[in-house]
Amino acid sequence: MGTFCSVIKFENLQELKRLCHWGPIIALGVIAICSTMAMIDSVLWYWPLHTTGGSVNFIMLINWTVMILYNYFNAMFVGPGFVPLGWKPENSQDTMYLQYCKVCQAYKAPRSHHCRKCNRCVMKMDHHCPWINNCCGYQNHASFTLFLLLAPLGCIHAAFIFVMTMYTQLYNRLSFGWNTVKIDMSAARRDPVPIVPFGLAAFAATLFALGLALGTTIAVGMLFFIQMKIILRNKTSIESWIEEKAKDRIQYYQLDEVFVFPYDMGSRWRNFKQVFTWSGVPEGDGLEWPIREGCHQYSLTIEQLKQKADKRVRSVRYKVIEDYSGACCPLNKGIKTFFTSPCTEEPRIQLQKGEFILATRGLRYWLYGDKILDDSFIEGVSRIRGWFPRNCVEKCPCDAETDQAPEGEKKNG
């Protein structure tokens, strides 16, 4: 009893508020619908008590559900890990390489960024995910990625059960006429009568669950591949954008230097082990990181400071070459743009040809930035901020790239 009470603390109970958000409600709703319908349909298609195959099938379904929920709640409630309030490096001279967060009253540790949703500096922040209503970062990156893997696998299994159930239930109910096909949805034709009757309502529910399972498989499966791609390079989405701006800065000034990402261990397996461990606890403490040979512990933060000092690379000016309606997943901007829409609560912004945008960060097919309403680049003018497709804009000439992004703006999606 004492152990139980030590686990359930006031702080843990406060975390339950994360469930009161549209993201977890939808995610858990999809899991509940697909799991429940798959178990019900398993009874109809492959009765688990009569055969070994049926028992294995049913146990696998329960196993998928348990593992999916375990990793989902781990990602949500364990959280990414936050930089301690008031944190500063042990060596006071190292503060010259770090940015200071006025909200947390602390220095930003290497690879950490301030999240406006969590209102804290997050260790190794990748993005703020609305589906878990929390950030994905140092402590929960492995659980989040495992959830992205297990959810499609479970949905593929469930989808197979849905298809087989509808096939077996409809097979004996079809009657073909000369010009007609009739389906008898009553259970009277089954001998013996099934424990769970498969009527019209059950058919509609199974069809709906099949659509959810297939949609989840595609959407979440693509997110899994995106996450694995950056994990095998030991990067985050934010760090990929920093690296892109570093290369742009070097090219623009024609500097005799090469930016080497300091946390890439040189092999995919070593990068993989930085996130996934047998103990479930990622390597390091979230404040200091192993670096590749020839790099500095603060190589990335030094590059960030250079970009902060260089107004030109802190934000890149783009001109809109194609109208964009502001749709979350635009079908007319290409299949890759449609399926890689940022998973975030941040808004999309409408674009009209000829307008100008200041991009502060981005993904491969999407950018995030500010639209200047009056076509001026004076500090403090009114702006509209949000995501927009990369293929709707083109980069302006370098000599026109001015202005700067607001201090402290970091990726939250």
Side-chain angles (χ1 to χ4, degrees), residues 71 141-151 224 276:
N71 284 283
H141 205 171
S143 296
F144 180 76
T145 307
L146 285 173
F147 166 72
L148 297 182
L149 170 64
L150 295 169
F224 169 73
F276 295 95

Side-chain angles (χ1 to χ4, degrees), residues 38-40 42-43 46-48 52-63 157 161:
M39 292 178 188
I40 292 174
S42 289
V43 175
Y46 208 170
W47 178 240
T52 303
S55 300
V56 171
N57 174 68
F58 200 79
I59 291 172
M60 284 183 64
L61 271 180
I62 297 175
N63 185 55
H157 186 189
I161 293 173

Side-chain angles (χ1 to χ4, degrees), residues 99 108 113-114 116 304 361 408-412:
Q99 298 183 57
K108 296 180 182 179
H113 302 274
H114 187 84
R116 288 172 293 168
Q304 287 179 262
R361 51 187 164 90
E409 284 296 315
K410 299 295 178 186
K411 182 175 180 184
N412 285 318

Side-chain angles (χ1 to χ4, degrees), residues 292-306:
R292 66 186 301 167
E293 187 177 351
C295 292
H296 190 273
Q297 179 65 234
Y298 300 106
S299 291
L300 190 67
T301 56
I302 292 172
E303 175 59 35
Q304 287 179 262
L305 291 172
K306 289 180 181 178

Side-chain angles (χ1 to χ4, degrees), residues 70-125:
Y70 174 79
N71 284 283
Y72 179 81
F73 287 127
N74 253 1
M76 177 187 292
F77 294 125
V78 171
F82 301 108
V83 177
L85 297 174
W87 180 85
K88 59 182 179 180
E90 293 182 2
N91 187 350
S92 59
Q93 293 183 349
D94 290 343
T95 57
M96 63 184 295
Y97 303 123
L98 300 173
Q99 298 183 57
Y100 186 78
C101 178
K102 296 180 180 179
V103 177
C104 299
Q105 296 292 304
Y107 286 93
K108 296 180 182 179
R111 312 190 78 177
S112 68
H113 302 274
H114 187 84
C115 173
R116 288 172 293 168
K117 293 290 183 181
C118 298
N119 202 33
R120 289 289 300 275
C121 287
V122 177
M123 296 178 180
K124 194 190 174 185
M125 180 178 175

